[in-house]
Amino acid sequence: MYNAHRGMVPAPNNRLTELLDQVRAEFESQQSRNGEYEQNMATQLQEMEMVRQKVYSLEQTQLAIKQRYEDDINRLRHEIEARGGPPSHVGISGLPPHGGVSQPQPPAIGHGPSNLFGGIMANPPGQGNPGLVPPSQDQQQPQAPPHQMPQPPPGLQQPPYQGYAQSSNMNNGYASQGQQSIASPGPGKGRNSRVPPGPGPATPQQNHTIPYPDPRSPQVGRPNSPPQQQQAQLPNVGNQLADLDPDQLRPDQKREGNDWFAVFNPRIRRVLDVDLVHNLPHESVVCCVRFSLDGRYVATGCNRSAQIFEVSTGNQVTKLQDESVDKDGDLYIRSVCFSPDGKYLATGAEDKQIRVWDIQSRSIRHTFTGHEQDIYSLDFARNGKHIASGSGDRTVRVWDIESGQEVLNLAIEDGVTTVAISPGGEYVAAGSLDKSVRVWDARNGFLIERLDGIDGHKDSVYSVAFAPSGRSLVSGSLDKSIKMWELGDNRPMIAGPAPRSAKCLRTFEGHKDFVLSVALTPDGEWVLSGSKDRGVQFWDPRTGDTQLMLQGHKNSGVKVTERYCSLNMAGI
């Protein structure tokens, strides 16, 4: 029987089936290609990791070869001396020590976990080692803190302060003392509390006398030349203003107070003036000093406590001390830093801990642990969220304030003496005992620059500071110089002889001893440096000339902000 509805059934659509088959085939083909791409990427990543491991292996091999080379040189030197030959004046790397005249070796750097900064302050004199222990407190002499570094160059014996005049039995104003303990045991371990340490990493000494005429000294009797002849008699000392005799300077070329004086460079036009505003007394050695970002407050690190003063009045605002720490022994605060908003103060101490204090409540908000040796430097990022720390354990670490976690751990070959974060937060810079300045990308920890080599420092770098632009920085070193560097692009460094984009813009020379601290004014117009020669110098970064030298301490100018001075910039 005929079905009337049979003609209504649609015929199969062969075209649609073909299209679906084509789509399916193309999808499977694309999926296969994606698998190949992923496999190729995995292979390339594996090859990159192998290259990275190879570079690391080569670097370790190079370091081992360098160490064997130095050991051989030291062994040969000792053999020559043992056979009656003349002493071999070679430095740490087997090369002649830096400087135009003969001088002692820079500090020998240990690589053990407990002696990286040891021995710098208490080596017995008369045995080829410096006697570097400062006078004890009963002599009313400021002290310098102990460190875990091996022996520095033959040093100076230090008596109680007696002005800037030198005598025949004095080296750099200090007399001989016996050996004293320099261990840095932290809380709960016995230590001679009469020998408190001084600020920052070790403060090495030199064995040559540095003359500093005291403008107030009654022992110096010399006739005053007529005013019209005084300027003609001044020697051309360049930037070494310490060689000038203040008695031979005109009144407009010097300033002096009860216990400080400043000498202005007679070769250039005077555009600065300086005066002492406050003298902030402390009961113990001041190891570190830092201003708040707005300049309203200044913090100092001492034995067991950090103190905050108001700049306008000089009054103490608060004293921060962790009462939970064992009261036995000393615990020196080696680094302090304000948060950008001024609400918090970070402190780094000998117990290897970073404490972040809420200033208003005087309570600890965070405690960061992880460093294995003393913490010598701290810096807050301008966003207030991160802190960088540098330690003798050869690491730079970056900490997140909000999470309380470590976010970067940057390991290098030698002890870290100083750290700084660029104003924009893009870079972290660190100075090291290996004479280098390293700059990392703060976001991922990639090494951007390593500032060393032929244009670099010839001795350990003890201080770095970024310029306000963030594209340049200054560094101070035990080679007595300050260098200004311009950073290049922010591409990660490539191992090998590829050219580096950073360059040394200028080298400032004029200090007579180790440069231990550098800074820039907020407008970047002046570079400041503090030295073991007890002087603070103000440099013009455009010309490299020093504008003035300020002396206001009986001991080294370890920090360029240890006293608060007013600085007037005007045509004088």
Side-chain angles (χ1 to χ4, degrees), residues 89-136:
H89 299 289
V90 295
I92 283 180
S93 298
L95 300 176
H98 59 79
V101 296
S102 176
Q103 61 182 31
Q105 294 186 135
I109 306 306
H111 293 279
S114 63
N115 69 343
L116 183 61
F117 293 100
I120 195 68
M121 298 301 296
N123 294 311
Q127 303 176 8
N129 297 321
L132 300 180
V133 179
S136 58

Side-chain angles (χ1 to χ4, degrees), residues 272 382 423 465-469 474 484 518-529 537-542 560-561 567 569:
L272 297 179
R382 293 292 176 88
F466 276 97
S469 66
V474 293
M484 174 168 279
V518 294
L520 292 100
T521 54
D523 57 7
E525 292 295 310
W526 300 96
V527 174
L528 287 75
S529 58
Q537 294 196 194
F538 292 67
W539 306 83
D540 186 335
R542 294 167 294 274
V560 295
T561 54
L567 194 63
M569 302 183 186

Side-chain angles (χ1 to χ4, degrees), residues 309-324:
F309 299 85
E310 188 176 30
V311 168
S312 60
T313 64
N315 296 329
Q316 185 183 100
V317 175
T318 189
K319 182 177 181 180
L320 305 175
Q321 183 168 342
D322 189 351
E323 300 296 341
S324 66

Side-chain angles (χ1 to χ4, degrees), residues 56-88:
Y56 177 77
S57 175
L58 291 174
E59 183 178 8
Q60 296 302 311
T61 302
Q62 187 270 338
L63 291 174
I65 293 173
K66 177 183 176 183
Q67 185 62 44
R68 289 198 299 270
Y69 173 73
E70 293 176 352
D71 292 342
D72 289 342
I73 289 179
N74 290 331
R75 177 178 54 80
L76 292 173
R77 183 180 69 234
H78 292 318
E79 289 180 2
I80 293 174
E81 294 176 356
R83 295 176 182 178
S88 178

Side-chain angles (χ1 to χ4, degrees), residues 483-512:
K483 290 182 180 288
M484 174 168 279
W485 306 86
E486 181 181 60
L487 301 180
D489 54 50
N490 59 355
R491 292 178 296 177
M493 281 182 56
I494 301 176
R500 300 176 183 179
S501 53
K503 60 181 178 180
C504 180
L505 296 177
R506 192 174 298 280
T507 299
F508 307 88
E509 294 180 313
H511 280 295
K512 299 175 72 65

